[in-house]
Amino acid sequence: MKVLVTGGCGYIGSHTCVMLLEAGYDVIIVDNLCNSKRDVVDKIKEITGKDVIFYKGDVCDYALINKIFSHHDIVAVLHFAGLKAVGESVLKPLLYYRNNIDSTLNLLEVMTKYNCKNIVFSSSATVYGAPKTLPIKESAPLSTTNPYGSTKLYIEGILRDVYEADKNWNIAILRYFNPIGAHKSGLIGENPNGIPNNLMPYIIKVATKELEVLNIFGDDYDTPDGTGVRDYIHIIDLAKGHIKALDKVLSGSGIVCYNLGTGHGYSVLELVKTFEKVNNVKVNYRIAPRREGDIAACYADPTYAFQELGWKAELGIEDMCRDAYNYVMKCKRNTSD
Ligand code: NAD
Ligand code: UDP
């Protein structure tokens, strides 16, 4: 069974491709490589020993997506392609709306044309805005504070409208919490260029002395140690959630929506301390002012995904810290060889 993975060279997409191949699916990737590298395809092949079809191109390119569907009998799409940097989305809202929404509209149009009406969509816990109650259930009120989050919320709305108009669609909306970690092999993972926005890549760059010090954005939140609390989830658990969601979609789910998180919140300081301990490294940090737009705490109630999909996160925060660091160290060794 062939599945199309948009953004399959990216962080979450690449790990999910590995799981899809291991689960016996045939994988076609389309990625314009705006935030990833071509060699990820080779790494996916190396890990799994299986072949992958790769198209370098933009999901906003209707002709390309049409060509892919005309060449392959695709049963479902996992739609990861999108821009994801919150700060950049504030500075370049049109880029975000154009890229994330146009790509999705194109995809849905072509899927309709070829009668492929099964899709798993990458949404985000950002659609919960500043949550009023914790842990967060899927039924919590939705709002966003930046254009990136708005693209996710609009796309969720588009998917609901598409389903209302045609009940033959099967759609899984997955709201991710904070994915970190990497594949055990150290061949794929997350290693952004430049100064990272997210906590784990920043911690790693401080540990490897590429950056001097981690700024901890606020220690006066209403949390146990005053620093921000998030639901960090191992990328492998997250990828496994996609296989379960895809199975659900292919069994005729209608439209469904699941939180993919662990249900446990960890503070910035807890993550830093765990990272130092498991990797035996020092992470210099200082307390800095709060980051604008940040919320104190955010963690999932993942019960619904467990009830419906039989999925729950299994790997712990120590695995996440160890595997994330292992990947970056392996990248460094390879580039210095
Ligand atoms: P990523 O940037 O590593 O992967 C996205 C991939 O999509 C990249 O390889 C990029 O080159 C590609 N891409 C972007 N726009 C494209 C386009 N128009 N056409 C073709 N390819 C395109 O990001 P990720 O962390 O793997 O995230 C995957 C999805 O999950 C995104 O939609 C993101 O918004 C969502 N998400 C991510 C997180 C997170 O913390 N990583 C959290 C919640 C939701
Ligand atoms: N954070 C921090 N310093 C950084 C990056 C992040 O203190 O350099 C904090 C941030 O305030 C939040 C947590 O780490 O409490 C997770 O931030 P991230 O950007 O990774 O995820 P998000 O805020 O989008 O959930």
Side-chain angles (χ1 to χ4, degrees), residues 6-13 30-37 57-60 79-84 99-100 103 121-125 148 152 176-179 190 198:
T6 76
C9 294
Y11 175 46
I12 306 173
V30 58
D31 197 307
N32 64 5
L33 305 181
C34 69
N35 197 34
S36 53
K37 297 203 176 80
D58 202 308
V59 186
C60 297
H79 181 33
F80 296 96
L83 299 174
K84 63 166 184 177
N99 188 74
N100 293 3
S103 57
F121 172 64
S122 301
S123 189
S124 166
Y148 165 69
K152 293 295 176 195
Y176 312 150
F177 282 69
N178 291 55
E190 188 183 30
N198 296 112

Side-chain angles (χ1 to χ4, degrees), residues 108-313:
L108 294 171
E109 280 176 8
V110 178
M111 289 174 74
T112 306
K113 180 174 168 193
Y114 288 88
N115 200 30
C116 168
K117 296 184 174 173
N118 302 310
I119 186 167
V120 177
F121 172 64
S122 301
S123 189
S124 166
T126 192
V127 299
Y128 295 118
K132 296 223 164 36
T133 49
L134 293 169
I136 307 172
K137 287 187 188 300
E138 288 82 353
S139 54
L142 305 178
S143 68
T144 63
T145 51
N146 56 71
Y148 165 69
S150 298
T151 69
K152 293 295 176 195
L153 205 48
Y154 290 141
I155 293 168
E156 287 198 10
I158 291 168
L159 291 170
R160 285 181 205 287
D161 289 343
V162 165
Y163 177 73
E164 280 311 311
D166 177 358
K167 298 275 175 12
N168 291 312
W169 280 87
N170 297 296
I171 300 171
I173 294 168
L174 303 181
R175 295 184 182 146
Y176 312 150
F177 282 69
N178 291 55
I180 57 172
H183 192 268
K184 269 257 169 285
S185 63
L187 290 171
I188 52 174
E190 188 183 30
N191 190 12
N193 291 328
I195 298 183
N197 297 306
N198 296 112
L199 180 58
M200 179 53 91
Y202 209 112
I203 289 177
I204 293 176
K205 285 201 192 272
V206 175
T208 56
K209 310 245 179 306
E210 277 172 74
L211 292 171
E212 206 179 317
V213 60
L214 169 73
N215 289 305
I216 294 185
F217 299 139
D219 67 347
D220 56 353
Y221 284 109
D222 184 15
T223 60
D225 63 23
T227 65
V229 166
R230 296 291 184 276
D231 186 340
Y232 298 98
I233 175 168
H234 198 294
I235 186 73
I236 293 298
D237 280 326
L238 191 77
K240 285 181 179 168
H242 288 74
I243 308 304
K244 297 281 192 180
L246 177 61
D247 290 347
K248 183 83 177 174
V249 157
L250 291 176
S251 72
S253 59
I255 189 160
V256 289
C257 174
Y258 305 110
N259 283 340
L260 295 185
T262 66
H264 304 286
Y266 287 93
S267 74
V268 177
L269 273 174
E270 281 174 315
L271 193 67
V272 170
K273 295 292 169 203
T274 308
F275 187 93
E276 289 186 324
K277 188 183 81 186
V278 302
N279 296 313
N280 197 21
V281 287
K282 180 99 190 78
V283 178
N284 294 323
Y285 65 82
R286 65 177 170 226
I287 304 301
R290 290 183 179 191
R291 182 171 64 179
E292 205 185 329
D294 266 1
I295 52 176
C298 174
Y299 50 94
D301 180 341
T303 314
Y304 189 54
F306 183 62
Q307 285 168 346
E308 290 278 304
L309 305 176
W311 172 91
K312 71 175 165 50

